[in-house]
Amino acid sequence: MDLTTTYMGLTLRSPLVPSAAAPLTENVANVKRMEDAGAGAIVLHSLFEEQIRQERYELHHHLTYGTESFAEALTYFPEPEIFHVGVEEYLNHIRMAKQMVDIPIIASLNGSTVGGWIDYAQQIEQAGADALELNIYYVPTDMSMTGYEVEQNYIDILRAVKTAVKIPVAVKLSPFFSNMANMAKRLTEAGANGLVLFNRFYQPDINLEMLEVEPNVLLSTPQAMRLPMRWIAILYGRINVSLAATSGIHKAPDVLKMLMAGASVTMLCSVLLRHGIEHMRVIEQEMREWMEKHEYESVKQMQGSMSQQNCPDKSAFERVQYMRAIQSYKPESVMVNG
């Protein structure tokens, strides 16, 4: 049975891809365990531009604090730009991962300025990453910024990175665009090799006892897969780009559904944090059993078979289904006035 798939021009032995599970991928030994458990590729945790900028600022402060009292003292210290704070650690992680495994290593870059994206993308490529995922975590709060300006920021970042590197580049998107189909088309035209659907933005919580805003990381549930599955099914065959599914993929049926919708790969994070890296073996085995039972010989045979393009009912993924969904819902118990 052939589980191989192609993602951004890379041939993967499996569509199962551990993705940006920071507590797991930060450990190089875990990267090797992921390969042994059947991963087709690995998306590393993100390199955050803001964190690096803050670390460099703090380094600059400590190196230069008090030196204004003695002008000649300033010449004793190198310029802060030569210090690779944070970046060098991430680049070494890529190099070590590449030495330990044979599967593709995909770096993840989370930036906010065009200049920062270019600089770090080039260093990531030089470190040996097989591909790069642009994790554009951007929540616009400026009331004067238009939707077009928000979208153009994504396009500008992608074009700048594509000009700077030769490795494949994917863009990890949020679903919060006025026209997701148009945005996917624009990104494809701007040179994206892959689209990752969808990013789960950080949502803060309020601590009522401390009266503080605090982090609140929630792992995904299987229900989260419906949104990316719908849009992958709609986009499949309409744009010439690889589609990666992420969010809510916990079991073999989730993987199979995403592949049938049109995904090239399915990215796993929450399920590995909950059940461990070895759980990939369970998912793969259940996939094989289902495929054998239903006489599928390969992943490519099923890919896109249930997309909008290949679905007999073209409206199945669109608005007309809303009314049918509402009408088809059967409450577990119905109260009847007697």
Side-chain angles (χ1 to χ4, degrees), residues 266-279:
T266 56
M267 296 187 170
L268 311 174
C269 180
S270 294
V271 65
L272 301 184
L273 293 174
R274 280 196 177 101
H275 303 292
I277 293 171
E278 298 302 318
H279 193 67

Side-chain angles (χ1 to χ4, degrees), residues 5 23 42 75 83 89 102 131 186 194 212 228 231 240 254 263 266 272:
T5 186
I42 297 172
T75 63
F83 288 88
E89 181 180 353
D102 295 322
R186 290 183 65 194
E212 295 179 347
W231 274 107
N240 185 24
D254 303 336
T266 56
L272 301 184

Side-chain angles (χ1 to χ4, degrees), residues 133 146 152 157 163 172 179 181 194 207 245 265 280 288 309-310 314 332:
E133 181 176 291
T146 67
Q152 191 60 42
I157 289 172
T163 301
K172 192 170 188 178
N179 186 343
N207 186 316
V265 295
M280 268 194 296
R288 290 181 179 275
Q309 184 183 61
N310 295 320
K314 303 295 182 184
E332 292 183 6

Side-chain angles (χ1 to χ4, degrees), residues 33-85:
R33 288 177 58 203
M34 290 174 180
E35 180 185 44
D36 294 341
I42 297 172
V43 180
L44 297 179
H45 55 285
S46 290
L47 174 64
F48 286 85
E49 181 187 352
E50 289 90 341
Q51 181 179 356
I52 296 165
R53 192 185 303 125
Q54 178 64 23
E55 289 174 349
R56 285 183 170 175
Y57 170 80
E58 292 175 357
L59 177 64
H60 179 271
H61 171 75
H62 291 301
L63 287 177
T64 60
Y65 182 75
T67 57
E68 67 277 1
S69 302
F70 305 94
E72 66 274 13
L74 291 173
T75 63
Y76 295 167
F77 299 98
E79 286 299 312
E81 285 76 8
I82 74 168
F83 288 88
H84 299 287
V85 181

